[in-house]
Amino acid sequence: MAIAFRTSKSTKASVIALMVIALGASTTAIAAASPSAHRSGVRGTTTGANTSRGAGRAEFAATPAHQYASGALRTVQRIVLHGGYTTADAGMRNLGHGTMKIKGVPAGAKVKSAILVWDILGKHLGAAFPHGKFDGHAITGKTWAHGKDPCWGVTRNFSFEANVTSLVSGNGSYHLTGFASGKTNGADPWLTSPQVPPLLEGATLVVVYQKSSMPKTVIQLAEGASESQLSHTLHAKLFGFRANSHHPAKTSYIVADGQVKGNKGGFDGRILPHVGFSGKAPQAVHRYSRGNLWDTVTVNISSLVRPGATSATASVDAPRSFRDCIVWVGQVLSVP
């Protein structure tokens, strides 16, 4: 959220960041990594950010279903297989529904995993927040993390994830309905007041597919909460792979609440010129005046992942000059 533009009375910014890290590899998906898996995963740190308690480190240990993390980035899925991943997203502020169009699953490939992640702002964790419908099927997500809200004055951010593998067959449109939203009329957040929580940000679907003729790839999925606002840079160390030089590597940034082009992403200390977060996710109504508050940006980082590398660092930044508050919701990484 850009502090200068929002109708909220709040002047403090805070952001949830749900790390979603995909590394594509083996035939078994680990829904929540065990404590014995500490050699691979994600470790997150922040520089100058106002983060929730525990946001400085991500562990592989699973979080009990009844207890949501407070800021920590945690690996929830790890896969090694011959294949890759693709994503689709939808902005859903003031709607409660959206459509995601999956593309890029190769002919003959089998969907190995499909994880839906979404983020909601609210004064407290509402009973309806983890629930919704995916193509008409009722789903209940895990309440994974929480943090302060990104400048909308509603106290907190709550992140969720749901395994929808059985409902995703491959390329095509997938419809989300019935998600918690204070308004459902598609009102432009910057042209209407007051804001009516819960404020649903958006959702991203991460699909991992398998095909025997494709390179062996490592895939990990991590989630958590962290914050970037007014030049507060977030860093997350991705590890648990050994890269080779024969096939491309890519990463996807999943960011909520961005509305200006100046928000940026980095990889191993380099700012990526074509990565920005201005709210470009498709939604069911016309684009809002300052963006749709959700982005999923994928970039080829083959030239940045050197052969033999076993770790990398991703970053997200909301420069002070643009006065925005953004939420790092996920990161997908595919390394051969």
Side-chain angles (χ1 to χ4, degrees), residues 137-157:
H137 298 270
I139 62 172
T140 299
K142 293 180 180 179
T143 310
W144 192 258
H146 73 82
K148 296 179 181 179
D149 84 277
C151 308
W152 290 97
V154 291
T155 309
R156 293 197 176 195
N157 236 303

Side-chain angles (χ1 to χ4, degrees), residues 49-275:
N50 177 21
T51 59
S52 300
R53 181 180 299 175
R57 170 168 292 191
E59 300 292 349
F60 244 121
T63 297
H66 66 278
Q67 179 184 2
Y68 51 85
S70 191
L73 299 176
R74 297 175 183 267
T75 300
V76 299
Q77 186 183 61
R78 181 167 173 266
I79 305 177
V80 179
L81 58 96
H82 292 272
Y85 82 88
T86 187
T87 67
D89 62 358
M92 297 197 291
R93 172 65 68 89
N94 290 346
L95 289 166
H97 63 90
T99 297
M100 300 177 297
K101 296 182 179 180
I102 284 291
K103 302 177 181 179
V105 177
K110 177 183 178 181
V111 172
K112 194 65 182 176
S113 170
I115 301 295
L116 181 71
V117 298
W118 67 99
D119 185 62
I120 300 176
L121 317 183
K123 294 181 179 180
H124 53 77
L125 177 59
F129 289 12
H131 302 285
K133 289 187 177 181
F134 188 96
D135 262 3
H137 298 270
I139 62 172
T140 299
K142 293 180 180 179
T143 310
W144 192 258
H146 73 82
K148 296 179 181 179
D149 84 277
C151 308
W152 290 97
V154 291
T155 309
R156 293 197 176 195
N157 236 303
F158 299 92
S159 60
F160 307 87
E161 59 102 359
N163 190 323
V164 293
T165 306
S166 64
L167 304 177
V168 176
S169 58
N171 295 326
S173 295
Y174 297 92
H175 306 285
L176 304 178
T177 56
F179 283 75
S181 180
K183 291 183 179 180
T184 58
N185 60 356
D188 190 316
W190 291 277
L191 301 181
T192 58
S193 185
Q195 304 301 317
V196 180
L199 305 179
L200 176 62
E201 297 280 62
T204 293
L205 179 63
V206 180
V207 176
V208 177
Y209 54 82
Q210 183 175 19
K211 188 174 183 179
S212 60
S213 61
M214 298 187 68
K216 192 174 184 180
T217 307
V218 182
I219 297 178
Q220 289 183 63
L221 172 60
E223 303 172 4
S226 192
E227 173 184 12
S228 178
Q229 52 114 350
L230 300 180
S231 196
H232 292 160
T233 302
L234 304 178
H235 301 276
K237 188 173 183 180
L238 323 177
F239 59 98
F241 59 88
R242 183 175 295 278
N244 67 43
S245 59
H246 302 297
H247 301 286
K250 67 177 181 179
T251 192
S252 298
Y253 294 77
I254 303 173
V255 174
D257 231 75
Q259 59 193 273
V260 296
K261 294 180 180 179
N263 296 324
K264 54 191 178 181
F267 195 86
D268 270 355
R270 302 184 185 184
I271 298 301
L272 302 178
H274 302 296
V275 175

